[in-house]
């Protein structure tokens, strides 16, 4: 795919700004030095602030400063200021006929200028990044043409040190793998899609696979002086890895063996300036995507998935792919009221980018993978109860919230049921906006009210509970007039030490008495949490004995339900799945296939999903081969010659 046209190169130094349109000698804008130094002042919401305060608030995720200055109004005012510093009085319509579809590449050696939120460029109240503008960063590095080969090899690095919060990497990578295998089955194994989780394996696979694409999804820390990725060693211990160390690993490779693109999806990936991911890796990799500030799973994952879809399946260039995510914020569950929309930033030094995306057959495989099938193999009894009660609540408005607890063996996909609720309720509740948030369990419960309040405030990204209603109105209400279902989605608990079941009653009473009254009139709540246990029957007995749910008083505002155990998948469930998703097996083989799957998985939901993926892939491959053979036969000139 060609790059955006026209392309404007913005060269910024301490003494001047020059705006050139590619292929033209004459500068569109040239002259006075821009007011972009850390001490320069701009006016935000009627108050003077210095640019360094803006940069530091984003780097440090200073929520109080962000709430005060970077709501929609503040973001637009920052965008107007940045636009004026580089384009002056030149309007977007003087840059392109319709003012859209423009690639802006900012070339500067000044790390403070590079840290500014250029994605906010705005003109007459409109964020240009949502109107097809692409904004990327570079230094004065000579450009060259680059090509992503057919079936590019991907190395995914997903470290999960034991002492750090879970990132949901397994599910995120499964979503990416399913996206890619829907277009090309080669991504179903590790020949083109390899995953590592520790630092030694990363170095080993970097040399062995020679990946075209590097995707790091994990934790990062940084400030204005440095950025570090938090790898794990083979024992799960945290290994802080400075970006220069990573850059040295790429430098040691021959140039033709280095990746063409790196996506460093972590917190603070670009905060280190000269020592951040963009500046360090761009010396060796022509395109680097990373995050300018704190990254949150519920934004970082869909943004990355949309980027990969555009880059790998449509063949878009990196700047086009990143721009596409800005143009579809609503479908990604984001709004411009939330600063997460501006998090990813691109550093690049390519002139032209060429890709070789897969060519999908007319009988598109998406027909087989539609509907998030992997979420719906089983658990119909549990889902039906949740769905019925939530729909009843929204219709009658007698209570403000339902809380559900489910449990089962660790291999029974407890987290998959969380995702099913999010996905299927969105499909089912056409006139309701589902607004998921993902709290992190509190570290301690010495003061339950304080711990739970801090937990929920952090999840909503506000400083006090009093700010939660405003956050729901701005982020949750995506369709005028629709009620909002706030889905409080907790990660499954693997050990009682993380959040002991003895605190469930305390949490539910706090939720009913402190959180539910905060909800706006048109908002309702769904609270979902789960426990993984090797002794489900004993867990249920202990839970009901300690909690006594029939005596639990939630003040008439909320209702609590314990769902049936997420037990092993049985043959009837598998048979229903094959029928629902049109996986055709000869009748004389069906029983044997289903029995073989159950025998080798012992009913484990997670292992059954893997077997079903393999089965779907085999069936699809056979359909393609049969279709190809028929086509060849139809085109055979000798077919009717004898």
């Amino acid at each position: 795919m060609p790059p955006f046209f026209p392309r404007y190169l913005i060269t910024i130094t301490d003494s001047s700004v020059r705006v050139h349109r590619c292929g033209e000698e004459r500068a569109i804008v040239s002259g006075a030095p821009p007011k972009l130094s850390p001490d320069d002042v701009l006016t935000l919401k009627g108050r003077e602030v210095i640019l360094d305060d803006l940069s530091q608030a984003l780097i440090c995720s200073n929520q109080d400063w962000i709430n005060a200055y970077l709501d929609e109004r503040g973001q637009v005012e920052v965008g107007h200021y940045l636009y004026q510093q580089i384009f002056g009085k030149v309007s977007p319509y003087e840059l392109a006929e319709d003012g859209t579809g423009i690639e802006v590449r900012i070339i500067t050696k000044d790390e403070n200028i590079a840290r500014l939120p250029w994605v906010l460029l705005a003109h007459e109240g409109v964020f240009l990044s949502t109107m097809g503008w692409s904004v990327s960063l570079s230094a004065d590095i000579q450009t060259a043409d680059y090509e992503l080969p057919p079936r590019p090899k991907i190395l995914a690095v997903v470290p999960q040190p034991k002492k750090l919060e879970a990132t949901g990497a397994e599910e995120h990578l499964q979503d990416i793998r399913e996206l890619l295998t829907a277009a090309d089955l080669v991504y179903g194994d590790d020949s083109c899609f390899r995953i590592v989780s520790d630092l030694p394996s990363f170095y080993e696979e970097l040399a062995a696979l020679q990946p075209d694409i590097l995707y790091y999804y994990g934790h990062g820390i940084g400030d204005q002086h440095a950025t570090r990725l938090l790898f794990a060693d083979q024992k799960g211990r945290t290994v802080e890895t400075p970006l220069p160390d990573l850059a040295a690993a790429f430098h040691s490779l021959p140039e033709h063996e280095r990746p063409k693109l790196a996506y460093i999806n972590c917190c603070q990936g670009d905060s280190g300036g000269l020592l951040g991911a963009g500046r360090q890796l761009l010396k060796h990799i022509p395109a680097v995507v990373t995050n300018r500030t704190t990254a949150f799973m519920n934004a970082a994952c869909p943004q990355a998935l949309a980027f990969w879809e555009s880059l790998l399946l449509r063949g878009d260039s990196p700047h086009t792919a990143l721009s596409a995510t800005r143009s579809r914020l609503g479908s990604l569950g984001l709004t411009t009221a939330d600063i997460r929309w501006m998090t990813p930033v691109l550093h690049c030094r390519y002139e032209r980018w060429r890709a070789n995306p897969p060519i999908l057959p007319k009988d598109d495989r998406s027909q087989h993978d539609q509907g998030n099938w992997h979420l719906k193999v089983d658990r119909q009894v549990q889902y039906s109860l949740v769905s019925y009660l939530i729909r009843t609540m929204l219709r009658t408005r007698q209570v403000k919230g339902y809380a559900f607890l489910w449990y089962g063996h660790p291999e029974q996909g407890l987290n998959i049921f969380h995702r099913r609720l999010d996905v299927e309720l969105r499909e089912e509740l056409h006139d309701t906006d589902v607004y998921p948030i993902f709290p992190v369990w509190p570290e301690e419960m010495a003061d339950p009210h304080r711990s739970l309040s801090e937990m929920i405030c952090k999840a909503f990204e506000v400083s006090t509970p009093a700010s939660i209603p405003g956050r729901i109105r701005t982020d949750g209400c995506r369709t005028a007039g629709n009620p909002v279902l706030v889905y409080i989605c907790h990660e499954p608990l693997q050990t009682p030490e993380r959040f002991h079941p003895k605190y469930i009653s305390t949490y539910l009473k706090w939720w009913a008495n402190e959180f539910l009254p905060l909800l706006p009139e048109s908002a309702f709540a769904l609270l979902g949490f789960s426990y993984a246990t090797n002794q489900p029957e004993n867990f249920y007995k202990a839970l009901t004995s300690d909690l006594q749910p029939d005596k639990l008083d939630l003040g008439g505002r909320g209702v609590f339900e314990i769902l049936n155990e997420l037990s092993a998948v049985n043959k009837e469930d598998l048979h229903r799945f094959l029928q629902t998703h049109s996986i055709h097996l000869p009748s004389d083989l069906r029983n044997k296939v289903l029995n073989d799957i159950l025998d080798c998985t012992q009913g484990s939901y997670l292992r059954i999903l893997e077997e079903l993926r393999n089965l779907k892939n085999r069936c699809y491959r056979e359909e393609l081969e049969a279709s190809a053979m028929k086509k060849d036969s139809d085109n055979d000139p000798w077919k009717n010659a004898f």
Side-chain angles (χ1 to χ4, degrees):
M1 296 286 290
F4 270 102
F5 288 103
R7 174 189 292 172
Y8 287 90
L9 302 179
I10 320 297
T11 306
I12 304 176
T13 65
D14 292 338
S15 59
S16 68
V17 57
R18 294 178 65 84
V19 180
H20 279 272
R21 177 169 172 153
C22 278
E24 295 184 6
E25 294 292 331
R26 180 180 64 88
I28 304 297
V29 177
S30 180
K35 296 178 181 179
L36 296 173
S37 69
D39 296 328
D40 280 319
V41 177
L42 74 158
T43 301
L44 288 184
K45 301 177 70 174
R47 289 172 283 185
E48 291 187 344
V49 300
I50 62 173
L51 283 179
D52 192 53
D53 287 346
L54 169 63
S55 297
Q56 292 305 312
L58 292 174
I59 291 172
C60 302
S61 194
N62 184 335
Q63 202 61 49
D64 290 336
W65 198 98
I66 290 170
N67 290 340
Y69 292 102
L70 278 186
D71 58 7
E72 298 98 315
R73 175 77 183 198
Q75 291 180 35
V76 167
E77 289 179 349
V78 171
H80 284 164
Y81 179 85
L82 295 177
Y83 185 94
Q84 185 180 27
Q85 298 312 306
I86 60 175
F87 289 113
K89 296 182 179 180
V90 177
S91 77
Y93 301 98
E94 295 177 69
L95 302 173
E97 184 175 346
D98 60 359
T100 64
I102 294 173
E103 180 191 352
V104 173
R105 189 172 296 186
I106 296 173
I107 303 171
T108 181
K109 290 183 177 181
D110 189 315
E111 58 186 328
N112 294 307
I113 291 175
R115 284 195 187 103
L116 294 171
W118 291 102
V119 69
L120 293 180
L121 283 177
H123 185 265
E124 295 184 351
V126 176
F127 292 115
L128 300 173
S129 290
T130 66
M131 301 296 292
W133 278 46
S134 163
V135 184
S136 58
L137 297 169
S138 188
D140 56 343
I141 302 173
Q142 186 174 359
T143 60
D145 294 345
Y146 288 92
E147 180 172 359
L148 203 59
R151 292 179 166 175
K153 294 176 291 184
I154 302 171
L155 177 60
V157 187
V158 288
Q160 182 57 70
K162 291 180 179 179
K163 294 186 177 181
L164 299 182
E165 296 173 6
T167 61
E170 182 177 351
E171 296 171 13
H172 178 48
L173 288 189
Q174 190 58 55
D175 288 341
I176 294 174
R177 190 188 289 275
E178 289 184 357
L179 173 74
L180 299 179
T181 53
D184 192 335
L185 294 176
V186 72
Y187 289 103
D189 55 41
D190 64 357
S191 59
C192 284
F193 192 99
R194 204 161 296 177
I195 301 171
V196 297
S197 58
D198 60 79
L199 189 58
S201 298
F202 163 70
Y203 286 126
E204 180 181 336
E205 291 297 342
L206 186 63
L209 182 64
Q210 298 177 16
D212 302 294
I213 291 172
L214 171 71
Y215 183 43
Y216 178 93
Y217 177 77
H219 292 280
I221 56 174
D223 53 28
Q224 64 267 44
H225 304 298
T227 302
R228 290 180 172 86
L229 302 184
L230 302 186
F231 277 84
D233 65 13
Q234 292 176 324
K235 294 185 178 180
R237 295 172 297 199
T238 303
V239 181
E240 292 191 11
T241 307
L243 262 300
D245 291 8
L246 203 61
F250 294 116
H251 178 71
S252 66
L253 297 173
E255 186 170 359
H256 68 278
E257 295 180 7
R258 298 172 188 169
K260 304 294 189 300
L261 180 140
Y263 192 154
I264 310 300
N265 199 355
C266 70
C267 295
Q268 316 295 357
D270 204 40
S271 62
L274 295 176
L275 295 175
R279 290 299 180 95
Q280 286 294 316
L281 300 186
L282 191 63
K283 300 171 185 176
H284 314 290
I285 300 173
V288 180
V289 180
T290 188
N291 297 323
R292 66 176 71 250
T293 181
T294 300
F296 296 88
M297 285 170 52
N298 54 338
C301 291
Q303 284 173 325
L305 200 64
F307 177 82
W308 294 127
E309 180 181 8
S310 183
L311 184 92
L312 296 173
L313 301 191
R314 292 203 294 269
D316 291 335
S317 56
H319 65 273
T320 308
L322 194 57
S323 174
T325 68
R326 318 282 193 205
S327 303
R328 48 183 290 198
L329 295 178
S331 65
L332 301 181
L334 297 172
T335 74
T336 53
D338 185 340
I339 67 165
R340 290 174 298 180
W341 80 277
M342 60 171 157
T343 295
V345 59
L346 170 67
H347 292 256
C348 63
R349 57 177 175 86
Y350 56 81
E351 180 65 28
R352 293 183 181 85
W353 182 276
R354 179 177 174 82
N356 295 275
I359 299 175
L360 294 176
K362 290 183 180 179
D363 182 16
D364 190 340
R365 185 165 183 250
S366 61
Q367 295 175 7
H368 294 262
D369 282 342
Q370 63 184 356
N372 295 283
W373 66 267
H374 60 291
L375 305 178
K376 306 174 184 179
V377 176
D378 190 15
R379 320 312 186 202
Q380 191 58 39
V381 172
Q382 292 87 345
Y383 176 76
S384 296
L385 177 61
V386 175
S387 172
Y388 171 75
L389 292 176
I390 293 299
R391 285 185 285 110
T392 301
M393 175 179 67
L394 294 171
R395 184 180 71 254
T396 65
R397 304 192 172 208
Q398 296 298 308
V399 295
K400 289 293 282 184
Y402 266 94
F404 297 96
L405 181 151
W406 53 95
Y407 64 98
H409 192 277
E411 289 214 347
Q412 293 307 332
L414 276 70
N415 205 35
I416 293 176
F417 190 70
H418 281 279
R419 297 176 64 203
R420 176 174 186 173
L421 291 183
D422 183 25
V423 169
E424 202 160 356
L425 285 174
R426 289 176 188 271
E427 297 173 357
E428 189 174 322
L429 303 176
H430 301 294
D431 57 352
T432 300
D433 293 331
V434 179
Y435 175 33
I437 64 165
F438 304 89
V440 176
W441 291 107
E443 294 292 336
E444 50 83 23
M445 288 284 285
D447 183 345
H449 186 278
R450 177 185 59 78
S451 295
L452 293 170
S453 294
E454 289 179 353
M455 174 193 75
I456 209 71
C457 285
K458 185 176 181 181
F460 277 99
E461 301 171 45
V462 296
S463 55
T464 65
S467 301
I468 289 176
R471 178 68 77 189
I472 293 172
R473 292 188 184 97
T474 55
D475 290 6
C477 301
R478 297 192 172 91
T479 306
N482 274 5
V484 178
L485 179 64
V486 180
Y487 178 19
I488 303 173
C489 179
H490 283 284
E491 64 174 305
L493 290 152
Q494 304 291 335
T495 62
E497 289 77 15
R498 191 75 178 92
F499 187 82
H500 199 282
K502 68 183 180 182
Y503 293 121
I504 292 175
S505 176
T506 302
Y507 182 17
L508 291 172
K509 290 177 181 178
W510 176 89
W511 171 75
N513 296 320
E514 302 296 333
F515 176 74
L516 291 184
L518 294 173
L519 295 177
E521 183 179 354
S522 61
F524 300 85
L526 163 60
L527 168 61
F529 58 106
S530 56
Y531 282 85
T533 169
N534 290 313
Q535 304 291 335
E537 292 184 8
N538 293 343
F539 174 84
Y540 180 75
K541 289 178 182 177
L543 178 67
T544 52
S545 173
D546 181 62
L547 189 60
Q548 298 185 351
D550 56 325
K551 298 181 180 180
L552 188 64
D553 182 11
L554 299 182
R557 298 185 188 90
V559 179
F560 172 62
E561 292 280 347
I562 301 174
L563 300 180
N564 290 348
E565 175 195 346
L566 301 189
S567 55
V569 179
N570 60 39
K571 188 173 180 179
E572 182 180 349
D573 298 321
L574 290 182
H575 180 68
R576 185 186 306 114
F577 170 81
L578 296 182
Q579 290 181 319
T580 302
H581 295 277
S582 300
I583 299 179
H584 304 293
L585 293 175
S587 57
D588 57 335
L589 292 178
R590 187 179 298 117
N591 283 334
K592 181 180 185 308
V593 170
L594 298 186
N595 288 334
D596 287 347
I597 289 176
L598 290 173
D599 287 344
C600 72
T601 63
Q602 297 301 304
S604 161
Y605 195 101
L606 298 180
R607 284 184 282 167
I608 280 176
L609 284 185
E610 189 60 35
E611 291 297 319
L612 289 176
R613 288 187 184 99
N614 294 336
L615 178 61
K616 286 167 66 66
N617 287 344
R618 289 199 303 271
C619 291
Y620 180 67
R621 187 182 293 113
E622 290 169 3
E623 289 176 15
L624 287 185
E625 291 173 352
S627 176
M629 291 177 63
K630 182 179 184 304
K631 183 177 180 180
D632 290 343
S633 175
D634 291 343
N635 294 333
D636 183 0
W638 295 97
K639 181 177 179 181
N640 298 312
F642 294 95

